[in-house]
Amino acid sequence: MFRARPRAVRRCPRPAACALALMLAATQVAAQGFSFSQPDAGEQQAQQARERRVAEYLSTPCRAELRNKKIMVVIGELQSNGFVSAEQQNYGPHFQAVNQRLRALGLATWTPEEIRKQVAQAEIDAYFRNNPDAALAASKRLGANFVLRGLISSQATPNPVMAVNQVTVTMGFTLSEASGKVISNTEARGASYAGADVAGMALTLVNEEADEVVARLYADYCQNAGLGPPPKSRPAKK
C-alpha cells in the first residue's frame, strides 16, 4: 500500500519578520469587517461640505483696487460685567489665525505692532464701544480703509448630567469701512467643558473655523465693499 510521504514544513528564516507579516495580514482581514479606526461618515460629509463652501466663497471675483486697500484687524473679549477687554497683545494667536489667511488671499493688513504704534488703546476700545467718531479718527491716523473687528463672547450653562458648566464661546466678526458702514457680519460658535479658559477655547474655535470664516468675509468684501446697503449677519453654516 502506497502512503504519501508527509511534506516537510518550511521554516521561516526570519521568525520575527514572518510573525509581523502574519499579524499585518490578520489585521487587514479584520479591517474588512470592523475597525475602531474607521472614519465617521457624518464627519467626512460635513468636512466635504465645508470645503465646497470655502471653494465657492473664494471663487468670488474681487475688484483689483480692493486688494490695495488696507484692513485693520482688532480683537476684543466681552467680560461678564459687560466691559470689552481689547488689549491686542493678549490676542496675538487669534489675530494671526485670521491675519495670515487674509494675507494669503492677497489682501493688505496692518501688523499688531503697526497698530499699537499709531493707534492709542482708547481708540481701539472705541471700536468695541460703538464710538464712531473716535473709531473714524483712529482709522484715519492709521490710514486704514477697512476695519475687521473680532469679538469673543461666552456663556456658561450648567450641565446636569456631568455636573459641570458647559461653556459656549462665540466669536463674531464684523468687517466695516472706515466710515463705519458694515459690509460683512459672520460668526463661529463652539461648546466645551473647558471651564474658565475662554480665550483658549476661542483660539481653538478660530483655528478650526478660520478657513470658512475668512472665506465668507472675503466673499462679502469683494461683493459689498463700497457698494449697496449693509448685509445682514451670516451665521456659520452646519
Side-chain angles (χ1 to χ4, degrees):
M1 181 177 175
F2 175 78
R3 293 183 178 180
R5 298 177 63 183
R7 182 176 297 178
V9 178
R10 185 177 180 182
R11 294 184 177 180
C12 178
R14 300 175 61 188
C18 292
L20 178 60
L22 289 172
M23 183 175 66
L24 291 174
T27 301
Q28 292 174 352
V29 172
Q32 295 176 359
F34 174 80
S35 171
F36 286 106
S37 62
Q38 287 180 344
D40 182 84
E43 291 180 1
Q44 282 188 334
Q45 292 174 357
Q47 177 62 27
Q48 291 170 355
R50 186 179 300 111
E51 291 173 355
R52 287 194 295 269
R53 290 195 298 270
V54 169
E56 180 182 353
Y57 291 136
L58 296 183
S59 66
T60 304
C62 206
R63 303 191 302 277
E65 64 268 20
L66 289 178
R67 296 186 180 277
N68 297 322
K69 304 294 184 182
K70 275 295 189 81
I71 302 173
M72 180 172 71
V73 181
V74 290
I75 294 176
E77 181 180 347
L78 181 64
Q79 307 293 310
S80 59
N81 59 4
F83 177 78
V84 175
S85 174
E87 288 78 13
Q88 297 306 290
Q89 65 271 19
N90 295 336
Y91 305 102
H94 306 72
F95 175 93
Q96 292 299 339
V98 175
N99 196 57
Q100 289 175 358
R101 287 169 172 81
L102 290 172
R103 290 194 169 191
L105 292 172
L107 303 182
T109 62
W110 296 100
T111 66
E113 293 74 19
E114 291 171 328
I115 294 173
R116 286 198 295 269
K117 285 180 180 179
Q118 300 185 52
V119 181
Q121 182 61 48
E123 292 173 322
I124 293 177
D125 293 339
Y127 286 103
F128 298 95
R129 295 177 180 172
N130 296 320
N131 185 334
D133 293 335
L136 180 59
S139 299
K140 288 182 176 179
R141 182 175 297 105
L142 188 62
N145 305 103
F146 299 90
V147 178
L148 176 58
R149 182 186 67 180
L151 180 62
I152 303 168
S153 59
S154 63
Q155 181 179 9
T157 55
N159 185 294
V161 177
M162 301 185 66
V164 296
N165 282 339
Q166 176 174 314
V167 180
T168 300
V169 173
T170 301
M171 191 152 189
F173 294 89
T174 301
L175 179 63
S176 60
E177 296 180 356
S179 63
K181 174 188 171 184
V182 176
I183 60 176
S184 181
N185 267 318
T186 189
E187 68 177 28
R189 177 175 298 179
S192 174
Y193 303 105
D197 186 14
V198 174
M201 184 181 170
L203 179 58
T204 299
L205 179 63
V206 168
N207 285 326
E208 290 175 349
E209 303 290 340
D211 287 340
E212 187 171 355
V213 165
V214 171
R216 288 200 301 271
L217 291 168
Y218 174 82
D220 284 344
Y221 176 70
C222 294
Q223 289 178 328
N224 302 323
L227 303 172
K232 296 181 180 180
S233 177
R234 300 175 61 176
K237 297 181 181 178
K238 301 296 182 183

